[in-house]
Amino acid sequence: RRGSGVPMNLGEMAMARSQHREEHELLVTYEGPIHPSAVSDLLGTKSKRSWSLSLPTSGSDAGGSYVTRDDLFGTFSGKVGWPSSYFHVVTPKGKRYEGNLYPINSVRLEEDEGIYHQHEVTVAIHPRHSAIRGGKGGFGTLLKGQSKQAGAKQTLDFGACRDLSGRRLRHVNDEIKLRKWRELQAKRERGEDVDELEALKTPSGIRNWHLMVPNWSDGSSMSNKGRRKHERQLQREVRQLKRQKDQQHSERDQKRMQKEWEINEYVRRGEVEASRVAQGDDLKHDILLHLRSKRKLEKDETARESEAKAIRALNGNQKEPLVSEQADESFLLTLSGEMSLFDVTNASKKSADADGPFVTRLQSQSDFATAVVLMDPNKLKEVVAKGHGIYVEYQIQSAGLAQIGWIRRPESNSGTFLPNSDTGDGVGDDSESWGYDGSRGLKFHAGKEEPYGFGKDSNKLEWNVGDVLGSWCRIVPTDKSIEIGYSLNETDLGVAFKIDAVSSDEIAFYPALSLNMNEVVDVNTGP
C-alpha cells in the first residue's frame, strides 16, 4: 500500500473511477519451476515463490474493476520463462479458477488522488507442461525393487528410464546404434574387413545396449558363466548372419546365371533359326537327292517289277505300291531330330504275300523329331490320273503328343517345310505343313491351332493306345483344290484343310509326322 488511504465501497469507487486513475496491486504466489533460461527475482522456496505485480485495469462491470487472467499471465510469463498458456489460477481450496480477477480491497490515496485495488493470487503451471530436469527415479526404483524379489525375472531393459536431461535412455541408445551402424557400413563399402563378433559386443555386455547400466541391475554384476553364455549367443548370431548373407549371395548368383542362360539360349535359338533358314536349300537338295537315288534303284529293278506286275495280274490284284517294296525303310527320311525305325511287318505276310502292308515303327529320340514318307512322283501322277487320292494309316502306340499330317513337296512351286526339334517346330507349325494332334483335339497350320476331331454326336474324339488313325489327301475335280482329312477307328472326322492346288496333274504333298520325346507310332503305307 502506498501511504494511508480511505477504503471505498462500490458506489464511491464508481464515482471516483471517472475522476481518478486506477491501478491494481497483485501479490502473486507462484507454484512451479522456473525456466532454466529465465532470470527471476521471485522470493521464496523452489516450490513456492511470491512476487508483487502492478497492472492497469483490464475492464469493469457490475462487480467493479478487474484484471483478466490473460493480462496477468502475459506479464508473469516474462518472469518465469514459460509461455502464458502454461499457467492457471488456483483458488484457496486448490481448484482451478477460470474467471476475471476482482480485488479483495480498494482504496483511494489522498496523496496522488489515485484508486488502488488489492489482489492476492496464486498461479500454478499445468502439470502436463512441467519441465522436470531428469527423471524422478520412480521407474528405476520399481525396477530395483523388482529385481530383489524372489524368483524375479532378470531386468536388462532400461530404455524407459531417463537421463539427467529428461531424455529416454532408449532414444540416446538408438542414436549410438545408428552412428555405429553407419561406421560399419562405410567400412564394408570400402571393402575393409569387419569383425562382426566385435561389432555386436557392447561396453555394458548387454546385446544392443551401448550405455552403462545402473549399479543395482543384474547386468552390472554378470558372472563369468553369464558372460560366456552371452559370448556363445553372439557367436551363434554371427554364424546365422553369415549363413543368411551366403544364402543371399547364392540366390543372386543363381539369378544372374539364370539370366545369362536365358540370354545365351535366346541368342542360340536365333542362330539356330538363322541356320535353319540358311540350310533350307540344303534340306531340299537332300530330299531331291534321295528321290533321285530311289528312281535309280527303281530303274535297275524294272525287270523284277514287271514280273511282279505280271504275277499280280494273274492273281487278279491290280494294286500298286506308292513306296518302295524293299525290305529297308529307305522311303522314310528324318528331317529334324533323331528317330528310331523298326520294321514290324509280320514275317509270315512278307513271305506269303509280297503285296502285304509295310509297317514301320517310329520312336522319337528328340524333343520334337520330324520324319516324312517319301513317294514316287510318277506314281502320284498315276493316282491322280485314275481319280484317286493318297491314304496313309497310323497306329497309335503311346497316345502322347504328336502332330501327324502332310507337308508340301520341296520341288513344288512353293516354299520349303523347315522343321526344328530345338524350337519345337513340327508338322503344322509353318505355312508349308498341315497337322493334327488327337491327344489335344487340335489341328495346326501356319502356327495356328483350331479344334478338330468331332464324332457324329459332336463329342471330341481323342486317340488312345492301339487306335488306328487314317489320313488322306485328294484332289477335288471341280476346282482342282487339295483336301486333307482324317479318320479315327473308321470314324470319319471330316475335311480338316482345303488348299489351292499347285498343279492339276499331281499331288505335291508327302505324309509326315512330328513326335514328342519317346512317343511311338506305327506307319502303315499299305500295299
Side-chain angles (χ1 to χ4, degrees), residues 93-255:
K93 293 183 179 181
K95 296 183 178 181
R96 181 176 298 185
Y97 178 72
E98 301 293 343
N100 296 323
L101 303 176
Y102 293 95
I104 60 176
N105 188 22
S106 300
V107 298
R108 179 171 61 84
L109 298 180
E110 297 178 352
E111 295 85 0
D112 54 5
E113 296 183 352
I115 300 175
Y116 294 92
H117 305 284
Q118 300 173 347
H119 301 259
E120 290 185 2
V121 182
T122 301
V123 178
I125 192 169
H126 291 295
R128 65 174 180 272
H129 297 306
S130 298
I132 302 173
R133 293 178 61 82
K136 294 182 179 180
F139 190 72
T141 303
L142 291 176
L143 292 177
K144 182 178 180 180
Q146 185 181 14
S147 65
K148 293 182 179 180
Q149 296 178 2
K153 187 177 180 180
Q154 188 179 22
T155 301
L156 296 176
D157 186 3
F158 313 101
C161 299
R162 296 180 184 270
D163 61 6
L164 295 179
S165 62
R167 299 180 63 192
R168 294 283 186 184
L169 295 185
R170 72 167 67 94
H171 300 156
V172 180
N173 185 70
D174 289 344
E175 290 182 1
I176 300 175
K177 285 172 57 178
L178 181 60
R179 184 175 68 252
K180 289 184 175 294
W181 179 85
R182 287 175 175 171
E183 293 174 356
L184 293 174
Q185 195 68 11
K187 289 183 179 180
R188 295 188 183 100
E189 292 177 355
R190 292 194 298 268
E192 300 179 7
D193 294 335
V194 177
D195 191 344
E196 300 294 343
L197 182 60
E198 291 296 328
L200 293 177
K201 291 181 180 180
T202 60
S204 64
I206 302 175
R207 178 74 169 91
N208 283 333
W209 188 255
H210 298 274
L211 302 175
M212 300 306 295
V213 298
N215 295 330
W216 51 264
S217 68
D218 299 327
S220 61
S221 59
M222 185 179 296
S223 62
N224 292 332
K225 182 178 180 181
R227 292 191 181 91
R228 288 194 297 271
K229 180 180 179 181
H230 181 65
E231 184 82 11
R232 290 193 297 270
Q233 182 179 357
L234 292 180
Q235 291 176 356
R236 287 194 299 270
E237 187 171 349
V238 169
R239 288 194 295 268
Q240 183 178 0
L241 290 174
K242 187 176 182 303
R243 285 194 298 269
Q244 291 177 355
K245 289 182 179 180
D246 293 342
Q247 183 177 0
Q248 292 175 356
H249 288 313
S250 177
E251 291 177 355
R252 284 198 297 267
D253 292 341
Q254 290 179 359
K255 291 181 180 179

